[in-house]
Amino acid sequence: MSELILHHYPMSPFSHKIRAIMGFKQLAWKSVIVPGFMPKPDVEALTGGYRRTPYLQIGADIYCDTALICDVLEHHQPMPTLYPEHLKGLSRVVAQWADDRMFWAAMSYNFQPSGLNVLFANADRSLAEAFVNDRKGMGFPLMHAPEAAVNYRSDLRRIASMLDENPFLLGDQPCIADFAVYHPLWFTRIATPNLASIFDATPQVLTWMDRISTLGLGRMEKMAMQDALSVAAHTEPAALPEHEVFLDDHGIELGSKVAIAAESFGVEPTVGKLIAATRTRYTLARVDARVGNIHVHFPRVGYVMKAL
């Protein structure tokens, strides 16, 4: 079972990062829409507690965090590559900066009251309140709007300077850095257009965004959550590669019961049996009453593992 099933929702910035990469690689994928905030019982059946969006399902294997999902998609279809050989280190460093510090500046700017008013203009007030309260509960590290604007403008100037001589951030072709930088800017432009004047001083950034957008979103087909759960229930997790080496940084043996959670923002843990701890990822084996045997995968960077 190699079918790519992306669990996401339309206005999720990190989901759009992956949707854009699907377009870059011209991948076929199934789209399962998940709730934007708790409760998420169907999500928890697959992830065991992890609640960030998106996550990627391949059969009975669940891949959490877009950093890991990008690596999985690269392995699934190596070309065109997200990680050009001569830019492997630099592209990942820029992507990590964009997914962390720059993302929070951008989203703090987007989520100021005037942005939220536009975002939820056609929604019931209780829905907007539920969303805001949910994000507060997750530990959303909001800056005050003035500081967010200062930081966001500074980041946009830096991005613009990277585009002075190249059509994409690090050269003639897009790489992981482009998609990591792109998605919070896409949210400003699409979800809170009343705040998009922040791009006025950096028109080359808008031109670059248009280049990314022309790559499309791949070949998407809708799938119901119940069908995705059925796929997991009728599939066994993929065998782990025999060559993967156990890297013990915690003094926790394979087979131990552990909890893995994000370091910050959305720290709900997933509990399971540790069956892999490689240089780049952890894998937990879980059994769920609804879907049976599941393997849940996390990147090492940005996650904390504890023995139970």
Side-chain angles (χ1 to χ4, degrees):
M1 177 69 66
S2 60
E3 188 173 57
L4 302 173
I5 304 172
L6 184 67
H7 295 247
H8 66 123
Y9 61 87
M11 295 314 297
S12 160
F14 275 104
S15 295
H16 199 69
K17 173 186 174 183
I18 301 302
R19 294 190 295 256
I21 289 172
M22 296 288 196
F24 172 57
K25 288 183 172 287
Q26 285 300 292
L27 289 166
W29 56 284
K30 297 293 180 68
S31 165
V32 175
I33 301 300
V34 300
F37 49 85
M38 298 296 271
K40 300 183 179 184
D42 294 332
V43 170
E44 292 176 346
L46 292 170
T47 68
Y50 179 85
R51 55 159 301 185
R52 290 183 181 180
T53 306
Y55 59 92
L56 179 71
Q57 176 186 354
I58 303 178
D61 285 88
I62 307 298
Y63 298 91
C64 301
D65 196 286
T66 60
L68 177 56
I69 293 171
C70 289
D71 287 346
V72 171
L73 296 180
E74 182 78 357
H75 178 77
H76 183 85
Q77 183 162 300
M79 299 303 293
T81 182
L82 290 170
Y83 311 103
E85 192 64 35
H86 66 295
L87 295 171
K88 271 187 176 180
L90 179 59
S91 63
R92 287 184 184 272
V93 168
V94 173
Q96 193 169 15
W97 163 79
D99 280 343
D100 187 8
R101 204 208 67 81
M102 193 206 78
F103 175 82
W104 293 119
M107 297 311 289
S108 296
Y109 174 81
N110 295 331
F111 282 178
Q112 60 185 283
S114 61
L116 288 173
N117 287 340
V118 169
L119 181 61
F120 291 103
N122 298 317
D124 186 90
R125 181 177 178 83
S126 62
L127 181 69
E129 291 176 351
F131 177 85
V132 171
N133 290 333
D134 180 81
R135 291 310 186 265
K136 287 180 179 178
M138 291 179 74
F140 200 112
L142 278 179
M143 302 177 187
H144 292 296
E147 285 75 23
V150 169
N151 279 270
Y152 197 11
R153 288 192 187 95
S154 175
D155 291 338
L156 290 173
R157 289 194 298 270
R158 293 171 181 172
I159 295 163
S161 69
M162 297 171 74
L163 296 165
D164 282 344
E165 298 180 359
N166 300 306
F168 297 98
L169 295 184
L170 299 181
D172 293 334
Q173 300 296 323
C175 67
I176 188 60
D178 291 273
F179 298 103
V181 169
Y182 173 70
H183 65 97
L185 280 60
W186 163 86
F187 189 92
T188 304
R189 200 175 184 187
I190 300 300
T192 57
N194 59 313
L195 301 176
S197 60
I198 198 166
F199 296 120
D200 290 351
T202 53
Q204 59 270 61
V205 171
L206 291 175
T207 302
W208 162 78
M209 291 178 69
D210 290 340
R211 290 191 193 105
I212 298 289
S213 132
T214 60
L215 299 173
L217 304 177
R219 302 185 303 281
M220 184 271 286
E221 182 180 340
K222 293 180 180 179
M223 177 183 256
M225 172 59 90
Q226 293 306 313
D227 292 333
L229 294 172
S230 179
V231 167
H234 292 90
T235 310
E236 285 299 311
L240 298 173
E242 294 181 1
H243 65 273
E244 290 193 342
V245 178
F246 174 50
L247 185 61
D248 181 12
D249 290 320
H250 296 77
I252 300 175
E253 296 181 355
L254 292 180
S256 300
K257 186 178 181 180
V258 301
I260 293 180
E263 290 177 353
S264 61
F265 185 65
V267 297
E268 293 82 358
T270 294
V271 174
K273 181 172 72 173
L274 181 67
I275 59 172
T278 71
R279 179 175 56 84
T280 60
R281 70 176 73 173
Y282 301 115
T283 300
L284 299 186
R286 297 185 56 256
V287 179
D288 182 88
R290 297 175 65 188
V291 297
N293 295 323
I294 289 282
H295 286 177
V296 187
H297 308 264
F298 297 89
R300 274 196 179 240
V301 174
Y303 289 79
V304 176
M305 179 173 68
K306 295 181 179 179
L308 297 179

